Amino acid sequence: MALRLPLEKIKEFLVDNNLISPEVFQIALEDSQRTGQNIIDILVSRGFISEDYVYQLYSEFFKTPVIKLRGRLIKKSVLSIISEEMARTRRIAVFDKDDNGFLYLAMEDPGDLETINFVEKYTNMSVKVFLTTSRDLDYVYSLYGKEVVEDFKKVIEDNIRETARLKLMRENEVAEELPIINIVDGILAYAISLNTSDIHIEVLRETVLIRFRIDGVLHEIIRIPKEVHPAIVARIKLLANLKIDEHRKPQDGRFRYEALGEAMDIRVSIMPTFYGEKIAMRLLKATAKPMSLKELGMLDETIKLVEESIRKSYGMFLVTGPTGSGKTTTLYSTLNMLNRPEVNIVTIEDPIEYYIPYANQTQVNPQAGVTFATGLRSILRQDPNIILIGEIRDEETAEIAVNSALTGHLVLSSLHTNDAPTAVPRLIDMKVPSFLISAVLNTVVAQRLVRRICKDCIESYEPDEEIVESLKRQFKEIEGKEMEIPNILYRGKGCQICNNTGYKGQIGIFEALNFDEDLRRLINEPDFSLDNLRNKAQEKGMVSMMEDGLKKAQLGMTTVEEILRVIRE
């Protein structure tokens, strides 16, 4: 929420009206000052107040009516009065105008007088201001997007025709020619407009395939002629400061890119394949801030377990899952909760994805000799209380991390495993002795990302008996036990906001394993068995990712089909 209100007024609205206690307000205020987050955002994300109430509060304060834009028909001639880039950058939308020459402007922040004056000067019209929600603005931006597909394809096609004259030029020269710049800029800007997390540019035998990963699922976007591929690769290598004339070795780099008012950090990986070099780009918002555990999708019992675990002054807190399952985001959210003036936090990461105020963050740089292991050795000489290691991926890093956790440090890190109990054999495989693992492991959280049902087109339905039996069979095959399917399920019908997919955004499903004396004893047994550990954990009440997912399906957060898709992968 981009709303501005004096702190005294916020306290008056919330505390004096007995919506929250003075103690809760003070805790949220301290968290706000420490992390740089808006106090309202903190209170909403932690469930103390509702977002609807906040907008009502601001409407009263600014004497500004609230407008609902979702589903509203907005004329193209009105919408185009200001460009999409300007609208997104300023978080505003023009949705109507009247016969008296007034422009109707919807805003997240009616107190932003600078933007109101800017719009009046830019349009040469008087403005009537309305308050609206972030989701309503996103709906309006999706209306701009109706023409985006055609515009994107036209830009690509027009510039591909222009590249015919570039065939005889050298790679480093062609990378700076306008048609190639326009093609790459078009791909990046279109990806950002669709909230893409990854771009894949793959060279096939006769063509080049461009795919975007949106909400965890890959979508084919466009195919372009193979002749343009070398120039596109050269352009991206130039942006990422890589060797343009190197085609036989993998290369990794990164660059900053701005479009539609968004600054993005783009991680680039280039890999030689049979038909040419494949490009994978990961898009990360440069201004992103850590989310709360509730925003990530953790249910209350999981949050309580995590909070109890990280209160300990030493030991290991691990997050596990495959690549792209949101491990790093969870680690940052946990670290943000621990970020207090009285502790020294030091991290070693690859790459640094979020900036954490007061934490000392170090980027892995193999060329300069800074690996996870060497960086970790240096970190230990910095008198840390809390250490975050981006990933434990080799024996040396595992050994230093475990010894750090054993000697009075709280260590947060990630591992690649399928579920929480498998973290134990993974560490054993890294030559960490069982007695050390049992001594330092506090908690392991395993996770996956599922697509969230679109809030604008969600509907409930009663699955028939055939569907219920089919789902039970599939869950039993994966989980190994009978799972109860809810009587009422939810799905998205498909609408303009979610591009008719029925899904918008992602949410985590989690499995949290807390290690007590019984589980530590099992790890130390000479004939250690993963199955015994898993069974004992379930006896003690560990909720599996499948069970957590079903709870979220019952609450209307995601679908059972989505849970099955992700767990199977």
Side-chain angles (χ1 to χ4, degrees), residues 189-203:
Y190 188 44
I192 292 167
S193 75
L194 295 176
N195 289 319
T196 301
S197 62
D198 299 85
I199 301 171
H200 293 261
I201 302 175
E202 301 158 284
V203 56

Side-chain angles (χ1 to χ4, degrees), residues 189-421:
Y190 188 44
I192 292 167
S193 75
L194 295 176
N195 289 319
T196 301
S197 62
D198 299 85
I199 301 171
H200 293 261
I201 302 175
E202 301 158 284
V203 56
L204 309 178
R205 186 163 73 175
E206 295 175 349
T207 187
V208 174
L209 173 65
I210 297 176
R211 298 192 290 172
F212 293 170
R213 189 177 294 280
I214 303 166
D215 291 338
V217 178
L218 275 172
H219 300 268
E220 180 175 331
I221 301 299
I222 195 171
R223 292 182 182 232
I224 59 177
K226 195 172 177 179
E227 296 76 38
V228 190
H229 178 257
I232 291 175
V233 173
R235 176 64 189 164
I236 291 169
K237 283 180 179 178
L238 184 70
L239 290 171
N241 200 25
L242 301 176
K243 295 177 181 176
I244 293 178
D245 58 351
E246 176 58 75
H247 304 288
R248 293 178 297 176
K249 293 179 182 177
Q251 294 190 74
D252 296 309
R254 63 188 302 161
F255 62 95
R256 174 70 59 89
Y257 184 83
E258 290 191 24
L260 302 175
E262 291 273 19
M264 307 293 290
D265 282 328
I266 300 179
R267 286 160 50 188
V268 178
S269 172
I270 298 181
M271 172 75 72
T273 65
F274 187 75
Y275 290 112
E277 290 172 287
K278 187 214 165 170
I279 300 171
M281 291 185 278
R282 168 70 52 91
L283 279 63
L284 301 162
K285 285 186 181 178
T287 54
K289 292 181 179 177
M291 295 186 285
S292 69
L293 297 181
K294 202 172 190 72
E295 287 174 305
L296 296 179
M298 280 193 192
L299 299 177
D300 290 343
E301 55 265 36
T302 310
I303 292 174
K304 185 181 176 185
L305 194 150
V306 170
E307 286 176 342
E308 286 173 0
S309 172
I310 62 176
R311 281 197 204 109
K312 297 173 182 175
S313 59
Y314 66 92
M316 289 187 81
F317 175 86
L318 295 178
V319 182
T320 75
T323 302
S325 60
K327 299 188 297 296
T328 305
T329 304
T330 301
L331 279 177
Y332 275 114
S333 298
T334 310
L335 191 68
N336 200 41
M337 294 165 65
L338 294 165
N339 190 10
R340 305 183 304 275
E342 61 268 25
V343 295
N344 179 23
I345 298 174
V346 188
T347 78
I348 177 80
E349 307 169 57
D350 184 25
I352 296 171
E353 292 186 19
Y354 297 88
Y355 168 67
I356 308 282
Y358 312 119
N360 304 283
Q361 296 172 266
T362 304
Q363 166 79 48
V364 165
N365 184 355
Q367 292 176 335
V370 182
T371 63
F372 279 116
T374 59
L376 193 46
R377 289 186 194 280
S378 300
I379 280 173
L380 291 172
R381 294 191 284 273
Q382 291 285 317
D383 183 34
N385 300 104
I386 298 166
I387 300 169
L388 183 141
I389 307 161
E391 183 187 338
I392 296 174
R393 58 174 69 156
D394 56 52
E395 293 175 16
E396 190 180 4
T397 307
E399 181 190 355
I400 305 167
V402 167
N403 282 310
S404 303
L406 201 63
T407 54
H409 305 93
L410 181 63
V411 176
L412 283 64
S413 192
S414 69
L415 274 178
H416 281 104
T417 66
N418 286 327
D419 58 16

Side-chain angles (χ1 to χ4, degrees), residues 55 82 102 121 127 158 174 225 248 316 338 348 431 504:
Y55 281 100
I82 61 172
F102 278 95
K121 286 179 182 176
V127 163
D158 288 350
V174 80
R248 293 178 297 176
M316 289 187 81
L338 294 165
I348 177 80
K431 305 294 188 292
K504 183 74 175 173

Side-chain angles (χ1 to χ4, degrees), residues 356-532:
I356 308 282
Y358 312 119
N360 304 283
Q361 296 172 266
T362 304
Q363 166 79 48
V364 165
N365 184 355
Q367 292 176 335
V370 182
T371 63
F372 279 116
T374 59
L376 193 46
R377 289 186 194 280
S378 300
I379 280 173
L380 291 172
R381 294 191 284 273
Q382 291 285 317
D383 183 34
N385 300 104
I386 298 166
I387 300 169
L388 183 141
I389 307 161
E391 183 187 338
I392 296 174
R393 58 174 69 156
D394 56 52
E395 293 175 16
E396 190 180 4
T397 307
E399 181 190 355
I400 305 167
V402 167
N403 282 310
S404 303
L406 201 63
T407 54
H409 305 93
L410 181 63
V411 176
L412 283 64
S413 192
S414 69
L415 274 178
H416 281 104
T417 66
N418 286 327
D419 58 16
T422 312
V424 173
R426 180 80 181 101
L427 288 170
I428 292 172
D429 187 50
M430 290 184 180
K431 305 294 188 292
V432 179
S434 298
F435 73 91
L436 287 181
I437 297 172
S438 66
V440 301
L441 269 186
N442 292 340
T443 301
V444 179
V445 174
Q447 68 179 79
R448 299 287 190 281
L449 290 177
V450 294
R451 289 180 291 174
R452 188 193 282 269
I453 297 174
C454 174
K455 292 178 182 177
D456 290 278
C457 62
I458 187 172
E459 64 175 6
S460 62
Y461 70 99
E462 291 184 32
D464 59 38
E465 194 173 324
E466 189 179 335
I467 291 173
V468 169
E469 288 306 313
S470 170
L471 289 171
K472 280 184 177 178
R473 272 196 313 275
Q474 292 178 73
F475 279 116
K476 190 172 183 180
E477 284 171 16
I478 301 169
E479 191 76 350
K481 63 181 180 182
E482 193 77 27
M483 304 285 286
E484 194 60 41
I485 306 299
N487 295 326
I488 302 292
L489 292 174
Y490 298 87
R491 63 192 171 199
K493 287 188 291 187
C495 66
Q496 193 163 315
I497 291 188
C498 63
N499 287 323
N500 293 310
T501 62
Y503 298 100
K504 183 74 175 173
Q506 290 178 288
I507 194 170
I509 56 174
F510 300 90
E511 172 179 287
L513 174 56
N514 203 24
F515 286 84
D516 60 10
E517 289 309 312
D518 291 339
L519 294 180
R520 295 183 199 283
R521 207 173 293 118
L522 276 179
I523 296 171
N524 278 325
E525 287 180 356
D527 56 344
F528 166 76
S529 162
L530 176 59
D531 287 337
N532 288 345

